[in-house]
């Protein structure tokens, strides 16, 4: 059901209000017919999840030419495995200039100019086995050449019989060599170096374990 309402900013959404699309409008004068701003909301019933989904990969780090080895495991919250339930997944990739996270905070790696697909791609549409599991190798896009760190994110959806889904994601980093040279600017990388000064950097080789 789709419905439109105009509400005062102090009003609360009534419990008996119908679900559907609502329009919230803001007025400086309550008597004015012209709204100064508006936004759309979708009101839906909250239904708690009845299934759980765990996503993992056998590899802590991806290597050049290696697929994303996905392991999905689903079950109902009362314990039974999600046998033969539909499972779908999308794959998204992006250049990762900070592949070591807090282990090398402030350090930059790789080439940020590498062009990769901007949209997530459908990569899995299958059913879980009798134990509620699925293992599948997912090839990375051809644009991933293995010349810069790349973050690969698999977003999976496990569906109930009625069509509702529970959604989870797992990510891994493609580390293209045994060691990579990182660069850390010795100035604020957001503001840039001060005018008429030398821009100074620190260089260090790091392994995928975050150790220099």
């Amino acid at each position: 059901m789709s419905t439109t309402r105009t509400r005062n900013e102090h009003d609360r959404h009534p419990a008996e209000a119908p679900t559907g699309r609502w329009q919230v409008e803001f007025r400086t004068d309550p008597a004015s017919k012209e709204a100064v701003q508006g936004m759309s909301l979708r009101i839906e019933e909250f239904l708690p999840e009845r299934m759980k989904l765990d996503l993992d990969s056998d590899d802590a780090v991806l290597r050049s030419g290696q697929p994303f080895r996905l392991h999905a495991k689903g079950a109902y919250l009362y314990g039974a495995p999600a046998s033969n339930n539909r499972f779908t997944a999308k794959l998204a990739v992006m250049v990762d200039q900070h592949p070591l996270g807090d282990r090398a905070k402030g350090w930059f790696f790789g080439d940020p100019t590498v062009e990769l697909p901007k949209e997530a791609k459908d990569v899995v549409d299958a059913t879980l086995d009798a134990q509620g599991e699925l293992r599948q190798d997912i090839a990375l896009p051809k644009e991933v050449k293995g010349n810069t760190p790349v973050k690969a994110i698999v977003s999976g959806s496990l569906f109930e019989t009625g069509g509702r889904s529970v959604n989870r994601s797992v990510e891994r980093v493609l580390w293209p060599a045994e060691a990579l040279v990182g660069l850390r600017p010795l100035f604020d990388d957001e503001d840039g170096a001060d005018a008429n000064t030398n821009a100074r950097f620190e260089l260090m080789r790091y392994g995928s374990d975050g150790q220099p």
Side-chain angles (χ1 to χ4, degrees):
M1 177 178 178
S2 179
T3 185
T4 301
R5 295 288 189 273
T6 301
R7 306 197 60 79
N8 185 283
E9 63 177 344
H10 298 293
D11 288 348
R12 293 190 177 185
H13 186 273
E16 70 277 7
T19 58
R21 190 173 300 278
W22 286 59
Q23 181 73 17
V24 179
E25 297 180 348
F26 302 92
R27 292 176 170 80
T28 55
D29 181 358
S32 174
K33 293 184 178 181
E34 297 296 327
V36 296
Q37 193 172 359
M39 62 183 294
S40 295
L41 298 176
R42 187 169 183 84
I43 306 299
E44 297 181 346
E45 294 182 5
F46 172 74
L47 297 175
E49 294 179 348
R50 296 189 297 181
M51 308 179 76
K52 60 181 179 180
L53 173 64
D54 295 319
L55 300 181
D56 202 356
S57 175
D58 294 334
D59 305 297
V61 176
L62 303 180
R63 301 293 181 180
S64 296
Q66 174 186 338
F68 193 120
R69 298 196 292 172
L70 176 67
H71 179 205
K73 186 175 183 179
Y76 288 89
L77 294 183
Y78 59 78
S83 306
N84 300 315
N85 285 65
R86 184 187 179 206
F87 173 80
T88 65
K90 293 178 178 288
L91 171 67
V93 293
M94 62 194 69
V95 173
D96 191 353
Q97 284 197 275
H98 305 285
L100 297 176
D102 290 338
R103 292 177 293 170
K105 192 171 183 178
W107 289 84
F108 292 76
F109 296 83
D111 183 357
T113 66
V114 170
E115 293 188 1
L116 298 176
K118 293 180 172 56
E119 300 295 330
K121 179 183 177 182
D122 293 319
V123 290
V124 180
D125 192 340
T127 56
L128 304 187
D129 63 19
Q131 287 72 46
E133 298 188 36
L134 176 141
R135 292 181 180 273
Q136 184 162 325
D137 290 352
I138 300 172
L140 300 185
K142 62 182 180 180
E143 291 86 353
V144 178
K145 305 295 185 182
N147 55 356
T148 192
V150 171
K151 180 182 295 185
I153 305 172
V154 174
S155 302
S157 299
L158 178 61
F159 293 85
E160 298 179 12
T161 305
R164 285 185 61 207
S165 66
V166 56
N167 309 298
R168 298 290 185 269
S169 63
V170 58
E171 63 183 53
R172 290 292 185 269
V173 171
L174 169 69
W175 190 265
E178 288 300 318
L180 297 178
V181 175
L183 178 149
R184 183 166 70 97
L186 299 178
F187 52 86
D188 189 316
D189 61 272
E190 293 186 358
D191 295 336
D194 293 334
N196 302 317
T197 62
N198 293 325
R200 302 174 61 220
F201 300 87
E202 185 176 1
L203 299 178
M204 184 76 73
R205 284 166 56 92
Y206 278 91
S208 61
D209 58 357
Q211 297 300 315

